[in-house]
Amino acid sequence: MRIESDLMRGAGPTAVLKLLDHRHMYGYELVDALAARTDGVLAMGQSTLYPLLYNLEAKGFIEGAWEKAESGRERKYYRLTATGRKRLADETAQWQRLAGAMKEIGVLPLLAGVMA
Amino acid sequence: MKFQLSMTTFPTFRAAALFTLHLCTIGRITSSRGVASAIAEFDLPFPLADLCRRTAQATHLWPSEKIEVARELASHFRDGLDAGNPADQLAQGFGTVRIVARLIRRAKKRARPFAWRAAIRTVQACALFLGAILALYGVLAVRFWSGSPTITRSFIREHNALADAIPKSDRAWPIYRQAVLARVATPFDLISAESTWPNIEPDDPHWPVAVEFIQRSQPSLSLVHQASRLPALGNRWTTSSDIEIDRHIVGLRGGRAEDLVATEDNPDAPLIGILLPHLGLFRNFARELSFDMRVAEHEGDRARVLRDAETLRGMAAHCRQEPTLVSGLVAFAILHLEIEQVGRLLARNPEFFSADDLGALSRAHADWGGPEGLRLSFASESDNFEDLLQRCYSDNGRGDGRLTPEGLEFLQSLTGGSAAPAWLQSSVRGNGYLSLVGPAIMQTIASRREQREKYSDLIALAEKDLQLPAWTRRKNGVAARAIEEIYSNRATRMKFFPVGTMFPAILRIGDKGDAIGASRDALLIAIACEAHRRQTGEYPTSLSALRLPVTATGALDPWDGAPLRMLLRDGRPLVYSVGPDETDNQGAASAARDNSALAPGSKAPGGGQDWILWPPAK
């Protein structure tokens, strides 16, 4: 099931921040991880990911740097900044409250069931 | 060809143009090469490399940003290929180049330096502001250029209808006109700088020439005598001069009368454009009659003196009938000349007039002007203003309207001097300028209704002020202060520019009436003193001994409201006002005293001096 773009617009940045919370990652790696770890629900292509990354970078939540990979080729890796970490904490709290509310009115279990 | 010429003619311009071209071309080439080079690093198949290149170029970002984007997209595709994805699948999943480029551009621009973003915001705000101004100007321009005045009243026709209703036998102007056509040329000696015409005494070297001239003028003056005794002036207002009179006057001056061409009269023209040629002609006749009185006095011809004086009063009364302030002021000037001549004669030759003459003179002066006396009305000025409004403003049928292009040009034509606001002064005049600023002026200047209300308010104040006694008006008059308030503020001065332009100098008009009233009352006192002397053998020592005719001014001093002062000096009466210092200096006056210098309206301090009203200065 494809997620509405409005929902995706709110969830995408939080998902990317969360992935970068563990370690720094490059673009393709993020696309791959989002698709694999959300069973395709939060899958996004380059056309969505890179504008999203540039927005987060412009806001100072993440920062990117070209680094040489093991293959010897350069990749741009993104990492979470202190501001980004705080932002992630805020958004996580908000998502938890939202999820709680959705659960209360019976939306979340149904959605969780579909996702499962 | 023209461009080539300018390029070669102006080396600086050519260099600047080439440099700009260089920057643009080199910038694009550098950017394009950088993107290609960045993509080449990742060894992508053509479709993916081309996708990266087109997307990067379509972002229209700065060259360094494009290279960064191209490099990152290429890196992404390389990772995809390395992960085993086919190139066409990666290309298909990329999306639309234009949309991706737009999203990237939007995001990348947010990351640009604050100063750059602030500058862009400023430019955008300015453009928005300018756009709003232009839009507003556009709306105003449409309003301004779509307005046109509607002339509903012809004040000239209305006046002429009244003049035409006067029985022909009662009209004085046709006879005055004949008198003008019968005039003879004034000798050059009399109008030269050395001449004191018409105040020439028998011991003056110009006396013989003046006497000869006045004798030749008798046919003309005879007609003036005849006209002055008719009840109404009865002249029509025109915007063209009387060609027959013009040719006669030019002929008298030795000019080529046949060169003059008649102009067409336009009874629908602005009221402010009417010609009042008789006023100047009346002043000439008044000077001639004034001198004729001197000649008659010299010859002992009492009847001629009295006839001349009566004619002067009649001419003044005719001017007074005409409903314009300037005519009223000319009436005062002619009457003042007559008062001076009679007063001078009485002072110099007390026995000249008979007792009956003195009584008649006293009554004639006390009654001059009828019930209105020496008070001028502003009714005609209101007509002038109403005419101005209908020529400048549109009419919405409910008494309001806005300034029109024709109105703006009309207002401009009224502003000859620097008293006008800067936007109407000659340095910035021109149709192009007016076209440009017209809409803004329309918005700034008061509407038709506001102008009329302001003018009416001021006229009401002025009329009220004129009802005040002279000595009170100067201190408690409010109209002058109301006018000053308009002029003290640039915004109100511009807003009510038509009011300020058309509003008469009210205090001066009141002052003129006060001055002529005091002169008239002083003459009445002098006549009463002479009558008293003939009855008792001596002049009275105070005014209380006299029986004065009742006048509107009540023989009160216009400077302080007390009765005019009188004392005996060298056995002769001296009538005076305390003058601007409002202190009774017992008739003190400077040796070179000029009566008018201390009259109401004068700005002379007048310290230690009184305003001597009779006997008149020699």
Side-chain angles (χ1 to χ4, degrees):
Chain A
M1 181 181 177
R2 188 172 175 76
I3 301 298
E4 294 284 343
S5 61
D6 283 351
L7 277 176
M8 193 65 183
R9 198 170 294 135
T14 311
V16 169
L17 290 176
K18 186 65 187 170
L19 288 175
L20 293 177
D21 190 29
H22 301 299
R23 62 185 177 87
H24 67 295
M25 296 171 84
Y26 57 91
Y28 188 84
E29 196 178 11
L30 281 166
V31 170
D32 208 26
L34 281 169
R37 292 176 65 177
T38 65
D39 200 16
V41 173
L42 293 179
M44 57 177 81
Q46 281 160 286
S47 59
T48 309
L49 177 73
Y50 285 100
L52 189 154
L53 287 173
Y54 296 151
N55 268 328
L56 291 173
E57 196 176 21
K59 289 173 183 168
F61 298 150
I62 61 172
E63 57 187 10
W66 288 90
E67 292 174 15
K68 201 162 263 185
E70 288 174 3
S71 61
R73 186 163 59 78
E74 284 200 329
R75 286 196 184 103
K76 192 172 183 183
Y77 284 88
Y78 291 93
R79 70 185 75 247
L80 209 57
T81 63
T83 317
R85 210 170 298 284
K86 187 173 177 304
R87 175 72 177 190
L88 176 62
D90 289 347
E91 290 199 359
T92 303
Q94 285 181 49
W95 275 106
Q96 282 171 351
R97 286 186 64 198
L98 184 64
M102 289 297 195
K103 200 173 174 184
E104 287 298 320
I105 58 173
V107 175
L108 198 55
L110 180 64
L111 186 64
V114 171
M115 285 172 70
Chain B
M1 187 65 184
K2 208 170 183 180
F3 177 69
Q4 284 175 345
L5 185 67
S6 65
M7 287 285 279
T8 51
T9 311
F10 303 105
T12 309
F13 173 74
R14 183 167 173 266
L18 287 174
F19 183 65
T20 308
L21 189 66
H22 170 81
L23 281 181
C24 294
T25 313
I26 294 304
R28 291 183 73 85
I29 290 171
T30 307
S31 162
S32 186
R33 280 184 185 164
V35 167
S37 168
I39 295 168
E41 185 189 329
F42 295 92
D43 192 23
L44 296 175
F46 173 75
L48 294 179
D50 185 53
L51 206 53
C52 293
R53 184 189 60 75
R54 283 192 291 125
T55 307
Q57 292 296 0
T59 59
H60 300 297
L61 291 165
W62 291 343
S64 60
E65 292 171 329
K66 282 185 193 172
I67 292 168
E68 174 82 3
V69 168
R71 202 172 172 213
E72 190 158 14
L73 291 177
S75 170
H76 185 97
F77 281 134
R78 183 71 264 164
D79 286 330
L81 289 172
D82 290 349
N85 296 307
D88 55 347
Q89 187 186 331
L90 288 172
Q92 266 184 351
F94 183 75
T96 311
V97 168
R98 191 171 51 83
I99 296 171
V100 175
R102 196 176 67 217
L103 291 171
I104 290 175
R105 173 181 169 76
R106 200 179 292 164
K108 273 286 184 189
K109 278 171 71 179
R110 288 196 188 112
R112 283 180 177 175
F114 172 77
W116 184 88
R117 281 180 290 143
I120 289 295
R121 290 289 180 212
T122 306
V123 170
Q124 285 173 338
C126 288
L128 196 66
F129 179 71
L130 194 64
I133 294 286
L134 282 175
L136 179 66
Y137 178 83
V139 172
L140 292 179
V142 169
R143 270 175 61 79
F144 178 66
W145 289 105
S146 62
S148 61
T150 309
I151 313 297
T152 54
R153 286 183 72 184
S154 167
F155 291 90
I156 296 177
R157 286 182 192 275
E158 287 177 19
H159 170 85
N160 289 345
L162 292 175
D164 292 344
I166 297 169
K168 284 188 177 172
S169 57
D170 287 353
R171 293 182 206 167
W173 174 243
I175 304 175
Y176 280 125
R177 189 174 173 278
Q178 286 175 36
V180 175
L181 294 173
R183 284 197 71 203
V184 296
T186 310
F188 179 74
D189 284 355
L190 297 184
I191 52 177
S192 66
E194 297 81 27
S195 169
T196 55
W197 171 258
N199 300 318
I200 294 174
E201 298 291 345
D203 56 352
D204 189 305
H206 292 102
W207 177 263
V209 178
V211 170
E212 191 270 336
F213 164 63
I214 214 67
Q215 281 169 351
R216 285 193 294 117
S217 296
Q218 288 306 315
S220 167
L221 293 181
S222 173
L223 289 164
V224 176
H225 292 312
Q226 189 186 333
S228 69
R229 279 145 183 85
L230 290 170
L233 180 59
N235 69 321
R236 290 172 61 85
W237 280 347
T238 67
T239 57
S240 63
S241 58
D242 185 324
I243 189 67
E244 201 177 353
I245 288 179
D246 284 356
R247 283 182 175 152
H248 179 71
I249 291 171
V250 168
L252 290 179
R253 292 173 185 161
R256 289 170 56 86
E258 62 274 20
D259 288 350
L260 292 179
V261 180
T263 54
E264 199 174 334
D265 181 33
N266 177 13
D268 296 317
L271 186 54
I272 203 166
I274 55 164
L275 301 175
L276 300 169
H278 58 285
L279 296 180
L281 298 169
F282 274 24
R283 294 186 86 123
N284 285 336
F285 284 138
R287 288 189 197 101
E288 288 160 20
L289 287 164
S290 165
F291 182 72
D292 196 62
M293 285 175 78
R294 286 173 188 254
V295 175
E297 179 199 355
H298 185 66
E299 294 173 358
D301 190 343
R302 210 180 76 240
R304 187 171 158 192
V305 166
L306 291 170
R307 186 184 59 190
D308 286 342
E310 186 182 354
T311 300
L312 282 169
R313 290 194 302 275
M315 285 171 60
H318 280 155
C319 286
R320 178 79 172 75
Q321 286 174 2
E322 196 160 53
T324 66
L325 273 184
V326 65
S327 299
L329 293 174
V330 171
F332 284 176
I334 294 172
L335 183 65
H336 191 252
L337 190 63
E338 188 267 345
I339 289 169
E340 268 196 338
Q341 291 301 324
V342 173
R344 183 190 51 76
L345 202 156
L346 189 64
R348 190 159 59 185
N349 192 351
E351 304 287 346
F352 187 83
F353 295 114
S354 70
D356 288 345
D357 294 341
L358 292 176
L361 282 170
S362 184
R363 282 190 300 278
H365 284 94
D367 296 342
W368 190 91
E372 292 176 1
L374 299 170
R375 189 168 289 151
L376 296 179
S377 163
F378 296 116
S380 63
E381 299 308 304
S382 297
D383 283 352
N384 247 330
F385 192 71
E386 195 56 43
D387 189 50
L388 175 94
L389 288 182
Q390 71 169 349
R391 288 170 196 282
C392 292
Y393 282 82
S394 62
D395 185 358
N396 68 358
R398 298 185 300 278
D400 208 355
R402 58 184 187 274
L403 187 68
T404 63
E406 292 93 330
L408 189 54
E409 278 186 35
F410 186 63
L411 283 178
Q412 189 191 33
S413 71
L414 297 179
T415 58
S418 58
W423 48 272
L424 274 176
Q425 280 180 26
S426 56
S427 59
V428 289
R429 278 185 190 176
N431 289 337
Y433 169 78
L434 279 184
S435 303
L436 199 66
V437 301
I441 292 173
M442 177 197 69
Q443 197 60 18
T444 313
I445 206 164
S447 72
R448 181 174 181 153
R449 185 194 300 277
E450 287 174 317
Q451 298 282 10
R452 186 189 291 110
E453 285 175 356
K454 174 64 81 177
Y455 191 85
S456 299
D457 289 349
L458 290 173
I459 283 286
L461 290 177
E463 295 273 17
K464 207 171 168 185
D465 282 358
L466 276 184
Q467 304 297 323
L468 295 173
W471 56 94
T472 311
R473 186 190 319 127
R474 270 185 296 280
K475 289 163 189 162
N476 302 332
V478 291
R481 279 201 291 278
I483 300 271
E484 278 170 19
E485 274 175 28
I486 290 179
Y487 274 94
S488 65
N489 181 313
R490 183 176 286 186
T492 53
R493 185 172 167 232
M494 178 164 177
K495 185 175 180 183
F496 293 108
F497 168 67
V499 175
T501 300
M502 297 293 285
F503 205 82
I506 49 163
L507 274 192
R508 289 199 60 77
I509 286 161
D511 291 338
K512 291 282 181 192
D514 297 342
I516 189 78
S519 299
R520 186 266 311 273
D521 289 346
L523 177 63
L524 294 177
I525 291 170
I527 291 172
C529 285
E530 178 56 27
H532 186 277
R533 184 189 68 81
R534 291 184 191 185
Q535 284 174 3
T536 64
E538 55 188 16
Y539 287 114
T541 53
S542 72
L543 287 179
S544 57
L546 297 174
R547 286 179 60 193
L548 293 170
V550 176
T551 64
T553 39
L556 298 178
D557 190 328
W559 281 109
D560 68 355
L564 285 170
R565 276 71 171 180
M566 194 207 82
L567 52 78
L568 293 181
R569 178 167 291 165
D570 301 328
R572 305 278 306 274
L574 181 81
V575 186
Y576 64 95
S577 148
V578 291
D581 69 350
E582 297 184 23
T583 304
D584 188 346
N585 300 298
Q586 295 298 302
S590 67
R593 74 181 164 87
D594 174 3
N595 273 354
S596 63
L598 300 178
S602 158
K603 290 184 179 164
Q609 291 178 41
D610 293 328
W611 176 33
I612 309 301
L613 292 162
W614 194 88
K618 286 180 182 172

